[in-house]
Amino acid sequence: MDRCRFQEVDAIMTVPDFGSLEGRVVLITGGAGHIGSTLRSAFRSVGSSVATVDITETDDDPTDDDGWQHFTVDVADQESMSGTIDEVVDIFGRLDVIVGTASWMGDSTTPGWNAPFEQQDVSLWPEVLDLGVTANFSLVRLARSALAENGCGSVVLISSLYGFCAPYPAMYHGTGINNLAGYAASKGALTQLARWLSTMMAPEVRVNALSPGGIFRDQNPDFVNRYKERTPLGRMASEDDLIGPVLFLASDLSQYVTGHDLVVDGGYSVW
């Protein structure tokens, strides 16, 4: 019986759980990052095989885990990614899920990036949009046949609260943290890309976005406190808060969900 579909017993539809991900193969971009490595462990815990892709090596060692392979590849390099998809299918025999977490973030030393509005450098935008949007489109297009083959293909693109919500400037004053227009624009585009792909990939493959709120990473305490005050659940997110929502969108639990942006922000955007 096809494990990629609900099973019926005495005409009563049974309810699947994350166990529907057992034996499926997941490709995670940005796999060496905070979110990517957390999701890799989560998928492995429910029995999925995982291929992580990142421009850098992972801090963990995949050699003792035959269900995990890491590929040091530039996600924005179409030729390299085409070869990587072929290699993933050769190693694991299939490809069922793509989770796109890769995003161009720069750092505090990148001139014109973590900067006030009037100092943000538009020359950085092509890199931001190339990795955050174009590379995701290219990846899904390259993988479309493999994703569709087994009837349970799912794509989850990690967007952001700021893909649909404007910043609150007072929250950033005096913290050394800035809200970045290029990042927000790329995430807004990514959410719309998920909607666009959802109709183009249907009915064999579902495509959804997931928009987290701010994730706590030892930011300036004033910023953290202001963020908490504006969030109904009273805290910033952690990477672990994304595990359940991503597994839901990847699994049979969401088999009638596509073209959706699942907001995971502790209620921040509800005000």
Side-chain angles (χ1 to χ4, degrees), residues 10 19 22 39-40 73 76 80 109 162 164 208 231 233 241 244 251:
D10 295 329
E22 184 175 357
L39 294 177
R40 180 255 303 167
V73 177
S80 296
T109 65
Y162 289 120
F164 68 92
N208 294 284
T231 305
L233 293 188
D241 289 315
S251 75

Side-chain angles (χ1 to χ4, degrees), residues 182-198:
Y183 175 81
S186 73
K187 292 303 186 181
L190 185 64
T191 302
Q192 178 58 21
L193 177 64
R195 296 188 187 101
W196 190 92
L197 288 169
S198 71

Side-chain angles (χ1 to χ4, degrees), residues 6 31 41 45 110 168 175 206 214 246 249 253:
F6 275 125
S41 297
S45 74
T110 304
Y168 182 61
T175 66
R206 298 180 298 106
V246 170
L249 291 175
L253 281 170

Side-chain angles (χ1 to χ4, degrees), residues 21 24-30 39 43 49-51 53 75 81 85 88-89 94-102 135-148 152-158 197 201 205-209 246 249-250:
L21 289 166
R24 296 190 187 172
V25 177
V26 182
L27 187 154
I28 302 174
T29 69
L39 294 177
F43 276 106
S49 297
V50 177
V53 178
V75 179
M81 282 307 302
I85 292 167
V88 169
V89 173
R94 57 193 288 168
L95 175 60
D96 303 295
V97 178
I98 288 177
V99 182
T101 81
N136 281 290
F137 171 79
S138 177
L139 172 60
V140 175
R141 182 174 58 84
L142 290 167
R144 65 194 185 283
S145 296
L147 289 168
C152 51
S154 177
V155 176
V156 184
L157 302 179
I158 304 301
L197 288 169
M201 301 287 284
V205 180
R206 298 180 298 106
V207 184
N208 294 284
V246 170
L249 291 175

